[in-house]
Amino acid sequence: MKKILFLALAVLLINTSTSWAWGTTGHRVVAEIAERNLTRKAKKNLKKIIGDQKLAYWSNWPDFIKSDPTWKHADAWHYVNVGTSLTPTDFTKEMNETTADNLYKKTLSLIEELKDKDLSLEKKQVNLYFLIHLIGDAHQPLHVGRAEDLGGNRIGVEWFGQKTNLHTLWDSKLVDFTQYSYTEFSTVLNIHDKKFNNRLSEGELVTWLYESYTAAQHIYDTAKADDKLSYKYYFDHQKDLEDQLLKGGLRLAKILNEIYG
Ligand SMILES: [Zn+2]
C-alpha cells in the first residue's frame, strides 16, 4: 500500500512539475551567438568580470540555482504572463504598469545596475549570468504566454509518441530534435552580414517581448491538447525556432555592446 501511495505521489509530482526555460542547448546557442557578435572592447571588459570563461558556460546557471531555496524569489524573473489579443500599445502599457518582478522589469533593472561601474564584482557576475539567461528566455515565445496554462505547461501533447507539454516542446524538444551541439547550431544560424544583424536587433526589450508574444499566439493556434506531433510540426515551426534563437543572440550582443563597448 505504501508503495502504491509512493508511486501515485511520484506520478503526481512528475505530471505537475513545470519547466520555465529554454533547455540547456537553447540558452547556450543564444549566449554563443552573442559572444560571436561582441565588439573587441566589450569582450575585453567582459573578461574583467568573468575571465576566460564563455558566456555559454554561465547561460544556464539561473536555472540550476532554482534547486537552492534561497533563490526561490528569482523564479518569477524567467517569464511574463500577459492577457490575450493585446495590441502593441496595450502590451507595452501592461508591461510598464506591472509592479511584479517579472522577466521584463527584472531585465531592465539588471541592465541599469550593470551600467554602474561601482557595482561589486560579485554583483556584476550574478547580474550578468541572469542577463545572459533572461534575454534567452525572452525569446522563448511561451515565456510570454498565458497565465491560465502556465505558458503551455498545462497543454499536454505527444512528441514522437512521448508525453510532454507544449512548453517543454519549445524549451528543449524542438532544439534537441535538430541534434546540433550548441556551437554547431550557433554556426549555422550566425551567417548574416552586419546590416542584416543590425536590422534584426532593432527595437528594445518591450518590442522583442511583443514579438515573442505574437509567436506564442501562433504556437497556441497551431497545436491543441493531446495532439500527436512529430516531423510535420518541426517542419512547420523550424523557421520560428531558428529566428528566435538568432534574435536572442544578436540582441544580447547588442545589449552587452551597449554596456561594455
Ligand atoms: Zn529561465
Side-chain angles (χ1 to χ4, degrees):
M1 183 64 194
K2 242 184 188 162
K3 210 170 187 179
I4 291 168
L5 208 69
F6 175 76
L7 277 174
L9 195 70
V11 168
L12 197 75
L13 281 172
I14 289 162
N15 281 337
T16 51
S17 75
T18 50
S19 88
W20 288 116
W22 280 119
T24 48
T25 306
H27 275 293
R28 287 179 189 136
V29 171
V30 169
E32 177 64 19
I33 291 174
E35 180 128 21
R36 294 182 190 186
N37 287 278
L38 292 173
T39 62
R40 200 182 291 257
K41 196 174 166 208
K43 251 183 218 165
K44 215 177 118 198
N45 283 323
L46 279 164
K47 203 174 167 160
K48 291 176 196 158
I49 303 173
I50 53 171
D52 290 323
Q53 197 47 271
K54 309 265 292 171
L55 300 186
Y57 179 85
W58 290 109
S59 61
N60 290 291
W61 181 81
D63 277 339
F64 298 149
I65 56 163
K66 285 178 182 168
S67 308
D68 178 351
T70 58
W71 275 104
K72 186 88 195 118
H73 63 284
D75 284 1
W77 300 355
H78 298 248
Y79 58 93
V80 286
N81 284 138
V82 268
T84 43
S85 314
L86 298 176
T87 64
T89 316
D90 291 340
F91 182 86
T92 305
K93 200 166 162 250
E94 198 167 313
M95 285 297 113
N96 286 323
E97 279 173 1
T98 179
T99 50
D101 233 359
N102 61 18
L103 175 55
Y104 177 64
K105 287 280 158 103
K106 190 64 203 178
T107 305
L108 290 185
S109 71
L110 288 172
I111 295 170
E112 271 325 295
E113 285 172 27
L114 282 170
K115 286 177 182 165
D116 174 8
K117 297 217 171 10
D118 297 328
L119 205 66
S120 73
L121 179 63
E122 199 200 340
K123 194 91 176 56
K124 278 181 188 165
Q125 290 170 336
V126 168
N127 276 20
L128 192 60
Y129 307 157
F130 267 105
L131 181 63
I132 296 165
H133 182 87
L134 295 184
I135 294 299
D137 279 347
H139 289 82
Q140 204 285 48
L142 291 174
H143 281 240
V144 195
R146 299 174 189 154
E148 68 257 35
D149 55 46
L150 305 178
N153 269 297
R154 282 190 182 143
I155 302 177
V157 294
E158 267 186 33
W159 178 243
F160 286 95
Q162 302 266 328
K163 276 195 190 318
T164 184
N165 64 66
L166 209 52
H167 191 94
T168 303
L169 183 65
W170 276 85
D171 267 352
S172 54
K173 305 267 181 204
L174 290 175
V175 174
D176 294 345
F177 176 74
T178 67
Q179 296 194 27
Y180 289 127
S181 67
Y182 83 84
T183 50
E184 288 166 347
F185 213 157
S186 305
T187 301
V188 298
L189 294 182
N190 186 38
I191 54 163
H192 305 281
D193 61 21
K194 226 184 161 106
K195 206 174 143 201
F196 180 94
N197 286 351
N198 285 343
R199 197 162 45 77
L200 221 55
S201 36
E202 273 169 10
E204 51 185 335
L205 184 60
V206 73
T207 44
W208 304 337
L209 285 172
Y210 189 74
E211 270 181 32
S212 292
Y213 173 75
T214 311
Q217 299 311 304
H218 178 65
I219 293 170
Y220 283 125
D221 290 345
T222 48
K224 55 184 189 321
D226 303 324
D227 272 358
K228 293 176 172 44
L229 310 173
S230 64
Y231 294 106
K232 174 85 166 74
Y233 188 84
Y234 179 77
F235 181 72
D236 289 343
H237 294 84
Q238 181 180 1
K239 192 171 182 320
D240 289 342
L241 175 77
E242 292 176 356
D243 281 354
Q244 288 306 109
L245 289 168
L246 177 62
K247 285 175 186 172
L250 295 173
R251 291 163 180 179
L252 176 59
K254 181 187 176 181
I255 293 171
L256 294 174
N257 286 333
E258 278 168 8
I259 303 174
Y260 301 108

